[in-house]
Amino acid sequence: MKNEIQEKLEQLAFDCTTAFCYGCYVKANKGVCPQCNSDDLMRHLEGVGCEWGTDWVIKHILQEELTEIDTDEVFEESIRGSYSEVTEVGWMKFDTIDLMKSQDPISWRIAKDEYIDYLEQDEEIVSFDGGSNYYWKHDLESL
Ligand SMILES: [Zn+2]
């Protein structure tokens, strides 16, 4: 699934850029430089610049078009949906999430990491940088 998305992103990056000869500093719309006939070309993204390859274009598209997931927020939401909002201890009432987080931050973090792993394995979220940033799959598909 991830490879498929990666491929589509590369295609998209390719489609929204033009070939560019850095040596002559001209666009090479036909895949070869109109001046020196070189096919060793960069990609040029209007208003952004030119560089080799498409990785940087993909990065730019992701940054511009998508918002990375706030994993803390996503996990918190899922927990809020599963437990009562308020927990009573003796005569006191606490926000359940705040109580859990403050009383056992390690357990909270482990559970969060497991939940994010689960979402990734379930192919609901995707990361292209080894888990630093995640995106919703349905957001990617709408690109
Ligand atoms: Zn050239």
Side-chain angles (χ1 to χ4, degrees):
M1 189 280 293
K2 194 175 155 184
N3 287 339
E4 198 181 306
I5 289 181
Q6 185 84 35
E7 249 171 53
K8 280 183 185 157
L9 280 173
E10 269 162 33
Q11 188 60 47
L12 185 68
F14 207 77
D15 291 345
C16 69
T17 52
T18 46
F20 191 83
C21 178
Y22 194 69
C24 308
Y25 221 76
V26 289
K27 284 181 187 170
N29 292 317
K30 297 201 168 97
V32 286
C33 175
Q35 289 179 23
C36 70
N37 281 323
S38 168
D39 61 359
D40 189 18
L41 304 165
M42 287 183 169
R43 303 302 301 173
H44 179 264
L45 182 60
E46 207 60 55
V48 180
C50 55
E51 196 47 75
W52 302 105
T54 50
D55 285 357
W56 67 280
V57 186
I58 293 174
K59 217 181 234 179
H60 179 80
I61 295 171
L62 292 176
Q63 266 171 7
E64 290 292 300
E65 304 292 333
L66 298 178
T67 323
E68 62 249 31
I69 297 170
D70 183 337
T71 50
D72 289 321
E73 205 178 290
V74 167
F75 178 59
E76 208 174 297
E77 284 296 306
S78 92
I79 298 301
R80 277 201 193 281
S82 313
Y83 297 89
S84 65
E85 205 170 320
V86 170
T87 295
E88 287 187 44
V89 181
W91 66 86
M92 299 175 184
K93 287 181 180 172
F94 298 94
D95 179 278
T96 303
I97 305 291
D98 288 347
L99 189 65
M100 289 167 82
K101 274 192 195 171
S102 64
Q103 291 312 299
D104 197 342
I106 294 171
S107 169
W108 179 264
R109 205 197 61 225
I110 291 171
K112 188 198 108 176
D113 291 346
E114 279 172 1
Y115 181 68
I116 295 304
D117 278 352
Y118 159 78
L119 286 181
E120 190 175 16
Q121 270 160 30
D122 211 33
E123 303 189 337
E124 285 193 54
I125 62 173
V126 189
S127 176
F128 298 102
D129 51 14
S132 298
N133 293 298
Y134 284 99
Y135 300 94
W136 291 111
K137 192 190 163 201
H138 54 80
D139 281 353
L140 280 161
E141 279 168 346
S142 63
L143 262 182

